[in-house]
Amino acid sequence: QDGRGTGLEIKYEDEVSGYTVCSGTVMKFNEGNISLLCDCRFAVTQNNEEMLKSIHQVAERFDYIDTIESNEAPYYLPMDNEGVQSLLRVFNKLTGNNVTFIPIMKGGTYASYIPNALSTGNCYMSKEDWMNFDFSFLPAGHGGAHQKDEILPIEGFMKAIKLLFAIVLEMD
């Protein structure tokens, strides 16, 4: 529905990590059965057992069978972490912003397997510029983050690369 777990009744948001992200990513047809793999990254303070119970109840309501293939705890680094503070310092210096909070999660990366790892985005644009970006050359529902034919505006990508290099140099 909205990429935030509404359909599975697990929509949740907290101040520590932001909102839960959930999307159906792989659909398979096999021997008359349909399966859908959902990738969910839930907020740090979200109750894991309640979330799994909700998913099961929704599946049961529609006469589906739910199977949890893996269930990892969310990855989170607190704002006072040295690496997070370095990231904020570089980000604010290069962008002219004065950001004091940035959610640090692993996303779809290996960050949770490396102590104190930070994962970062691959596009930097203001929310206004992103909302005004012209996706009209693609069909509706295409081009945006985690959508079919996901694209990045090249200027936002290049800004993110500069930020990434500066962050690595700061932390090295």
Side-chain angles (χ1 to χ4, degrees), residues 13-79:
E13 185 172 356
D14 63 23
E15 288 186 22
V16 176
S17 56
Y19 56 86
T20 290
V21 176
C22 187
S23 58
T25 56
V26 178
M27 181 176 275
K28 294 180 182 179
F29 300 93
N30 186 16
E31 297 180 14
N33 295 307
I34 300 172
S35 67
L36 176 65
L37 177 65
C38 292
D39 180 16
C40 301
R41 297 176 204 124
F42 51 97
V44 171
T45 62
Q46 190 164 10
N47 183 303
N48 189 47
E49 290 189 22
E50 286 181 21
M51 181 183 64
L52 295 176
K53 181 179 175 185
S54 179
I55 292 170
H56 180 69
Q57 288 172 341
V58 169
E60 205 170 60
R61 187 179 320 137
F62 290 98
D63 201 26
Y64 296 152
I65 298 169
D66 63 302
T67 304
I68 307 299
E69 290 186 10
S70 69
N71 182 16
E72 299 174 12
Y75 179 77
Y76 170 74
L77 290 176
M79 293 307 300

Coordinates of all heavy atoms in Angstrom, one line a residue, residues 13-79:
E13 N 6.1 4.4 13.9 CA 7.2 5.4 13.7 C 7.6 5.8 15.1 O 6.8 5.9 16.1 CB 6.6 6.6 13.0 CG 7.6 7.7 12.7 CD 7.1 8.8 11.8 OE1 5.9 8.7 11.3 OE2 7.8 9.7 11.5
D14 N 8.9 6.0 15.3 CA 9.4 6.5 16.6 C 10.4 7.6 16.3 O 10.9 7.8 15.2 CB 10.0 5.4 17.4 CG 11.2 4.7 16.8 OD1 11.9 5.3 15.9 OD2 11.5 3.6 17.2
E15 N 10.7 8.4 17.3 CA 11.7 9.5 17.2 C 13.1 9.0 17.0 O 14.0 9.7 16.5 CB 11.6 10.4 18.4 CG 10.3 11.2 18.5 CD 10.3 12.2 19.6 OE1 11.4 12.6 20.1 OE2 9.2 12.6 20.0
V16 N 13.4 7.8 17.5 CA 14.8 7.2 17.5 C 15.2 6.9 16.0 O 16.3 7.2 15.6 CB 14.9 6.0 18.4 CG1 16.3 5.4 18.3 CG2 14.6 6.4 19.8
S17 N 14.3 6.2 15.3 CA 14.7 5.6 14.0 C 13.8 6.0 12.9 O 14.1 5.5 11.7 CB 14.8 4.1 14.1 OG 13.6 3.5 14.6
G18 N 12.7 6.7 13.1 CA 11.8 7.0 12.0 C 10.8 5.9 11.9 O 10.4 5.3 12.8
Y19 N 10.3 5.8 10.7 CA 9.2 4.9 10.4 C 9.6 3.5 9.9 O 10.7 3.3 9.3 CB 8.2 5.5 9.5 CG 8.7 5.9 8.1 CD1 8.9 5.0 7.1 CD2 9.2 7.2 7.9 CE1 9.4 5.4 5.9 CE2 9.7 7.6 6.7 CZ 9.8 6.7 5.7 OH 10.4 7.1 4.5
T20 N 8.7 2.5 10.2 CA 8.9 1.2 9.6 C 8.8 1.2 8.1 O 7.9 1.9 7.6 CB 7.9 0.2 10.3 OG1 8.2 0.0 11.6 CG2 7.8 -1.1 9.5
V21 N 9.6 0.5 7.4 CA 9.6 0.4 6.0 C 9.3 -1.1 5.6 O 9.9 -2.0 6.1 CB 10.9 0.8 5.3 CG1 10.9 0.6 3.8 CG2 11.2 2.2 5.7
C22 N 8.3 -1.3 4.8 CA 7.9 -2.7 4.4 C 7.5 -2.7 3.0 O 6.6 -1.9 2.6 CB 6.8 -3.1 5.3 SG 6.4 -4.9 5.1
S23 N 8.1 -3.6 2.2 CA 7.7 -3.7 0.8 C 7.7 -5.1 0.3 O 8.6 -5.9 0.7 CB 8.6 -2.8 -0.1 OG 9.9 -3.1 0.0
G24 N 6.8 -5.4 -0.6 CA 6.8 -6.7 -1.2 C 7.8 -6.6 -2.4 O 7.7 -5.8 -3.2
T25 N 8.8 -7.5 -2.3 CA 9.9 -7.3 -3.2 C 10.0 -8.4 -4.3 O 10.5 -8.2 -5.4 CB 11.2 -7.2 -2.5 OG1 11.4 -8.4 -1.6 CG2 11.3 -6.0 -1.6
V26 N 9.6 -9.6 -4.0 CA 9.8 -10.7 -4.9 C 8.5 -11.6 -4.9 O 8.1 -12.1 -3.8 CB 11.0 -11.6 -4.6 CG1 11.1 -12.8 -5.6 CG2 12.3 -10.9 -4.6
M27 N 7.9 -11.7 -6.1 CA 6.7 -12.5 -6.2 C 7.0 -13.7 -7.0 O 7.7 -13.6 -8.1 CB 5.5 -11.8 -6.8 CG 4.2 -12.6 -6.9 SD 2.8 -11.7 -7.5 CE 2.3 -11.0 -6.0
K28 N 6.6 -14.9 -6.6 CA 6.9 -16.2 -7.3 C 5.6 -17.0 -7.5 O 4.8 -17.0 -6.7 CB 7.9 -17.1 -6.6 CG 9.3 -16.5 -6.4 CD 10.2 -17.4 -5.6 CE 11.5 -16.8 -5.4 NZ 12.4 -17.7 -4.6
F29 N 5.6 -17.6 -8.7 CA 4.5 -18.6 -9.0 C 5.1 -19.9 -9.1 O 6.0 -20.1 -9.9 CB 3.8 -18.2 -10.3 CG 3.2 -16.8 -10.3 CD1 3.9 -15.7 -10.8 CD2 1.9 -16.6 -9.8 CE1 3.4 -14.5 -10.8 CE2 1.4 -15.4 -9.8 CZ 2.1 -14.3 -10.3
N30 N 4.7 -20.9 -8.3 CA 5.3 -22.2 -8.3 C 4.2 -23.2 -7.9 O 3.6 -23.2 -6.9 CB 6.4 -22.2 -7.2 CG 7.2 -23.5 -7.3 OD1 7.1 -24.3 -8.2 ND2 8.0 -23.8 -6.2
E31 N 4.0 -24.2 -8.9 CA 3.1 -25.3 -8.7 C 1.7 -24.8 -8.2 O 1.2 -25.4 -7.3 CB 3.7 -26.3 -7.7 CG 5.0 -27.0 -8.3 CD 5.5 -28.0 -7.3 OE1 4.9 -28.4 -6.3 OE2 6.7 -28.4 -7.5
G32 N 1.2 -23.8 -8.8 CA -0.1 -23.3 -8.5 C -0.2 -22.4 -7.3 O -1.3 -22.0 -6.8
N33 N 0.9 -22.2 -6.7 CA 1.0 -21.3 -5.5 C 1.7 -20.0 -5.8 O 2.6 -19.9 -6.6 CB 1.7 -22.0 -4.3 CG 1.0 -23.2 -3.9 OD1 -0.1 -23.2 -3.5 ND2 1.7 -24.4 -3.9
I34 N 1.3 -19.0 -5.1 CA 1.9 -17.6 -5.2 C 2.5 -17.3 -3.9 O 2.0 -17.5 -2.9 CB 0.8 -16.6 -5.6 CG1 0.1 -16.9 -6.9 CG2 1.5 -15.2 -5.6 CD1 -1.0 -15.9 -7.2
S35 N 3.8 -16.9 -4.0 CA 4.4 -16.4 -2.7 C 5.0 -15.0 -3.0 O 5.3 -14.6 -4.1 CB 5.6 -17.4 -2.4 OG 6.6 -17.3 -3.3
L36 N 4.9 -14.2 -1.9 CA 5.4 -12.9 -1.9 C 6.4 -12.7 -0.8 O 6.1 -12.9 0.4 CB 4.3 -11.9 -1.8 CG 4.7 -10.4 -1.7 CD1 5.3 -9.9 -3.1 CD2 3.4 -9.5 -1.4
L37 N 7.6 -12.3 -1.1 CA 8.6 -12.0 -0.1 C 8.5 -10.5 0.2 O 8.5 -9.6 -0.6 CB 10.0 -12.3 -0.7 CG 11.2 -11.9 0.2 CD1 11.2 -12.8 1.5 CD2 12.5 -12.1 -0.5
C38 N 8.3 -10.3 1.5 CA 8.3 -8.9 2.0 C 9.5 -8.6 2.8 O 10.0 -9.4 3.6 CB 7.1 -8.7 2.9 SG 5.5 -8.8 2.1
D39 N 10.1 -7.4 2.5 CA 11.3 -7.0 3.2 C 10.8 -5.8 4.1 O 10.4 -4.8 3.6 CB 12.3 -6.5 2.2 CG 13.6 -6.0 2.9 OD1 13.8 -6.3 4.1 OD2 14.4 -5.3 2.2
C40 N 11.0 -6.0 5.4 CA 10.5 -5.0 6.4 C 11.7 -4.6 7.3 O 12.4 -5.5 7.7 CB 9.4 -5.6 7.3 SG 7.9 -6.1 6.4
R41 N 11.8 -3.3 7.4 CA 12.8 -2.8 8.4 C 12.1 -2.0 9.4 O 11.5 -0.9 9.1 CB 13.9 -1.9 7.6 CG 14.6 -2.7 6.6 CD 15.6 -1.9 5.8 NE 15.8 -2.6 4.6 CZ 15.6 -2.1 3.4 NH1 15.2 -0.9 3.2 NH2 15.9 -2.8 2.3
F42 N 12.0 -2.5 10.6 CA 11.1 -1.9 11.6 C 11.8 -1.0 12.5 O 13.0 -1.1 12.7 CB 10.3 -2.9 12.3 CG 11.0 -4.1 12.9 CD1 11.4 -4.0 14.2 CD2 11.4 -5.2 12.2 CE1 12.1 -5.1 14.8 CE2 12.0 -6.2 12.7 CZ 12.4 -6.2 14.0
A43 N 11.1 0.0 13.0 CA 11.6 1.0 13.9 C 12.2 0.3 15.2 O 11.7 -0.7 15.6 CB 10.5 2.0 14.3
V44 N 13.2 1.0 15.7 CA 14.0 0.4 16.9 C 13.1 0.1 18.1 O 13.3 -1.0 18.7 CB 15.1 1.4 17.2 CG1 15.8 0.9 18.5 CG2 16.1 1.5 16.1
T45 N 12.1 0.9 18.4 CA 11.3 0.7 19.6 C 10.1 -0.1 19.3 O 9.3 -0.3 20.2 CB 10.9 2.1 20.2 OG1 10.1 2.8 19.3 CG2 12.2 2.8 20.6
Q46 N 9.9 -0.6 18.1 CA 8.7 -1.3 17.7 C 8.7 -2.7 18.4 O 9.8 -3.4 18.4 CB 8.6 -1.5 16.2 CG 7.2 -2.1 15.8 CD 7.0 -1.9 14.3 OE1 7.9 -1.4 13.6 NE2 5.8 -2.1 13.8
N47 N 7.6 -3.1 19.0 CA 7.5 -4.4 19.7 C 7.5 -5.5 18.6 O 6.6 -5.7 17.9 CB 6.3 -4.5 20.6 CG 6.2 -5.8 21.4 OD1 6.2 -6.9 20.8 ND2 6.1 -5.6 22.7
N48 N 8.6 -6.3 18.6 CA 8.8 -7.4 17.6 C 7.7 -8.4 17.7 O 7.1 -8.8 16.7 CB 10.2 -8.0 17.8 CG 10.5 -8.9 16.6 OD1 10.3 -8.6 15.5 ND2 11.0 -10.1 17.0
E49 N 7.4 -8.9 18.9 CA 6.4 -9.9 19.0 C 5.0 -9.5 18.6 O 4.2 -10.2 17.9 CB 6.3 -10.5 20.4 CG 7.6 -11.3 20.8 CD 7.5 -12.0 22.1 OE1 6.4 -12.2 22.6 OE2 8.6 -12.3 22.6
E50 N 4.6 -8.2 18.9 CA 3.3 -7.7 18.4 C 3.3 -7.5 16.9 O 2.3 -7.8 16.3 CB 3.1 -6.3 19.1 CG 2.7 -6.4 20.6 CD 2.4 -5.1 21.2 OE1 2.1 -4.1 20.4 OE2 2.5 -5.0 22.4
M51 N 4.4 -7.1 16.3 CA 4.5 -7.0 14.9 C 4.3 -8.3 14.2 O 3.5 -8.4 13.3 CB 5.9 -6.4 14.5 CG 6.0 -6.2 13.0 SD 7.6 -5.5 12.6 CE 8.7 -6.9 13.1
L52 N 5.0 -9.3 14.7 CA 4.8 -10.7 14.1 C 3.4 -11.2 14.3 O 2.9 -11.8 13.3 CB 5.9 -11.6 14.7 CG 7.3 -11.3 14.4 CD1 8.2 -12.3 15.1 CD2 7.6 -11.3 12.9
K53 N 2.8 -11.0 15.4 CA 1.5 -11.4 15.7 C 0.5 -10.7 14.7 O -0.4 -11.3 14.1 CB 1.1 -11.0 17.1 CG -0.3 -11.4 17.5 CD -0.6 -11.1 18.9 CE -2.0 -11.4 19.3 NZ -2.4 -10.9 20.7
S54 N 0.7 -9.4 14.4 CA -0.1 -8.7 13.5 C 0.0 -9.2 12.1 O -1.0 -9.4 11.4 CB 0.2 -7.2 13.5 OG -0.5 -6.5 12.6
I55 N 1.2 -9.5 11.6 CA 1.4 -10.1 10.3 C 0.7 -11.4 10.2 O 0.0 -11.7 9.2 CB 2.9 -10.3 10.0 CG1 3.6 -8.9 9.9 CG2 3.1 -11.1 8.8 CD1 5.1 -9.0 9.8
H56 N 0.8 -12.2 11.2 CA 0.1 -13.5 11.2 C -1.4 -13.3 11.1 O -2.1 -14.1 10.4 CB 0.5 -14.3 12.4 CG -0.1 -15.7 12.5 ND1 0.2 -16.7 11.6 CD2 -1.1 -16.2 13.3 CE1 -0.6 -17.7 11.9 NE2 -1.4 -17.5 12.9
Q57 N -2.0 -12.4 11.9 CA -3.4 -12.2 11.9 C -3.9 -11.7 10.6 O -5.0 -12.1 10.1 CB -3.8 -11.2 13.0 CG -3.7 -11.8 14.4 CD -3.8 -10.7 15.5 OE1 -3.7 -9.5 15.3 NE2 -4.1 -11.2 16.7
V58 N -3.2 -10.8 9.9 CA -3.6 -10.3 8.6 C -3.5 -11.5 7.6 O -4.4 -11.7 6.8 CB -2.7 -9.2 8.1 CG1 -2.9 -8.8 6.7 CG2 -2.9 -7.9 9.0
A59 N -2.5 -12.3 7.6 CA -2.4 -13.4 6.7 C -3.5 -14.4 6.9 O -4.2 -14.9 6.0 CB -1.0 -14.2 6.9
E60 N -3.8 -14.7 8.2 CA -4.9 -15.6 8.5 C -6.3 -15.1 8.0 O -7.1 -15.8 7.5 CB -4.9 -15.8 10.1 CG -5.6 -17.0 10.5 CD -5.3 -17.2 12.0 OE1 -5.7 -16.4 12.8 OE2 -4.6 -18.2 12.4
R61 N -6.5 -13.8 8.2 CA -7.7 -13.1 7.7 C -8.0 -13.3 6.2 O -9.1 -13.5 5.8 CB -7.7 -11.6 8.1 CG -9.0 -10.9 7.8 CD -8.9 -9.4 8.1 NE -8.2 -9.1 9.3 CZ -7.3 -8.1 9.5 NH1 -7.0 -7.3 8.5 NH2 -6.6 -7.9 10.6
F62 N -6.9 -13.4 5.5 CA -7.0 -13.6 4.0 C -6.8 -15.0 3.6 O -6.7 -15.3 2.4 CB -6.1 -12.6 3.3 CG -6.5 -11.2 3.4 CD1 -5.9 -10.3 4.3 CD2 -7.5 -10.7 2.6 CE1 -6.3 -9.0 4.4 CE2 -7.9 -9.3 2.7 CZ -7.3 -8.5 3.6
D63 N -6.7 -15.9 4.6 CA -6.5 -17.3 4.3 C -5.1 -17.6 3.6 O -5.0 -18.4 2.7 CB -7.6 -17.9 3.5 CG -7.7 -19.4 3.7 OD1 -7.2 -20.0 4.7 OD2 -8.1 -20.1 2.7
Y64 N -4.1 -16.8 4.0 CA -2.8 -16.9 3.5 C -1.9 -17.7 4.6 O -2.3 -17.7 5.8 CB -2.1 -15.6 3.2 CG -2.7 -14.8 2.1 CD1 -2.6 -13.4 2.1 CD2 -3.4 -15.4 1.1 CE1 -3.2 -12.6 1.1 CE2 -4.0 -14.6 0.1 CZ -3.8 -13.2 0.1 OH -4.4 -12.5 -0.9
I65 N -0.8 -18.2 4.2 CA 0.1 -18.8 5.1 C 1.3 -17.9 5.2 O 1.9 -17.5 4.2 CB 0.6 -20.2 4.6 CG1 -0.6 -21.1 4.5 CG2 1.6 -20.8 5.5 CD1 -0.3 -22.5 3.8
D66 N 1.7 -17.5 6.4 CA 2.8 -16.6 6.6 C 4.0 -17.4 7.1 O 3.8 -18.2 8.0 CB 2.5 -15.4 7.4 CG 2.1 -15.8 8.9 OD1 1.2 -16.5 9.0 OD2 2.8 -15.3 9.8
T67 N 5.1 -17.1 6.6 CA 6.4 -17.8 7.1 C 7.4 -16.7 7.2 O 7.7 -15.9 6.3 CB 6.9 -18.8 6.0 OG1 5.9 -19.7 5.7 CG2 8.1 -19.5 6.5
I68 N 8.0 -16.6 8.4 CA 9.1 -15.7 8.6 C 10.4 -16.3 8.3 O 10.8 -17.3 9.0 CB 9.0 -15.2 10.1 CG1 7.7 -14.7 10.5 CG2 10.1 -14.1 10.3 CD1 7.1 -13.5 9.7
E69 N 11.1 -15.9 7.3 CA 12.3 -16.5 6.9 C 13.5 -16.0 7.7 O 14.4 -16.8 8.0 CB 12.6 -16.2 5.4 CG 11.7 -16.9 4.5 CD 12.1 -16.7 3.0 OE1 13.1 -16.2 2.7 OE2 11.3 -17.1 2.2
S70 N 13.5 -14.8 8.1 CA 14.5 -14.3 9.0 C 13.9 -13.1 9.8 O 13.0 -12.4 9.3 CB 15.8 -13.8 8.3 OG 15.5 -12.7 7.5
N71 N 14.4 -12.8 10.9 CA 13.9 -11.8 11.8 C 15.1 -11.2 12.6 O 15.4 -11.8 13.6 CB 12.8 -12.3 12.7 CG 12.2 -11.2 13.5 OD1 12.3 -10.1 13.3 ND2 11.5 -11.7 14.5
E72 N 15.7 -10.2 12.1 CA 16.8 -9.6 12.8 C 16.4 -8.4 13.5 O 15.5 -7.6 13.1 CB 17.9 -9.2 11.8 CG 18.4 -10.4 11.0 CD 19.4 -10.0 9.9 OE1 19.8 -8.8 9.9 OE2 19.7 -10.8 9.0
A73 N 17.0 -8.1 14.7 CA 16.8 -6.9 15.4 C 17.2 -5.7 14.6 O 18.2 -5.8 13.8 CB 17.5 -7.0 16.7
P74 N 16.5 -4.6 14.8 CA 16.9 -3.4 14.0 C 18.3 -2.9 14.5 O 18.7 -3.2 15.6 CB 15.9 -2.4 14.4 CG 14.8 -3.0 15.2 CD 15.3 -4.4 15.6
Y75 N 19.0 -2.3 13.6 CA 20.4 -1.8 13.8 C 20.2 -0.3 14.1 O 19.5 0.4 13.4 CB 21.3 -2.0 12.6 CG 22.7 -1.5 12.8 CD1 23.6 -2.2 13.6 CD2 23.0 -0.3 12.2 CE1 24.9 -1.7 13.7 CE2 24.3 0.2 12.4 CZ 25.2 -0.5 13.1 OH 26.5 0.0 13.3
Y76 N 20.9 0.1 15.2 CA 20.8 1.5 15.6 C 22.0 1.9 16.3 O 22.6 1.2 17.1 CB 19.6 1.6 16.5 CG 19.5 3.0 17.2 CD1 19.1 4.1 16.5 CD2 19.9 3.2 18.5 CE1 19.1 5.4 17.1 CE2 19.8 4.4 19.1 CZ 19.4 5.5 18.4 OH 19.4 6.7 18.9
L77 N 22.5 3.1 16.0 CA 23.6 3.8 16.7 C 23.0 5.1 17.3 O 22.3 5.8 16.6 CB 24.7 4.1 15.7 CG 25.5 3.0 15.2 CD1 26.6 3.5 14.2 CD2 26.2 2.2 16.3
P78 N 23.3 5.3 18.6 CA 22.8 6.5 19.2 C 23.5 7.8 18.7 O 24.6 7.7 18.1 CB 23.1 6.3 20.7 CG 24.3 5.3 20.7 CD 24.1 4.5 19.5
M79 N 22.8 8.9 18.9 CA 23.3 10.1 18.4 C 24.6 10.5 19.0 O 25.4 11.3 18.3 CB 22.3 11.3 18.6 CG 21.0 11.1 17.8 SD 21.3 10.9 16.0 CE 22.1 12.4 15.6

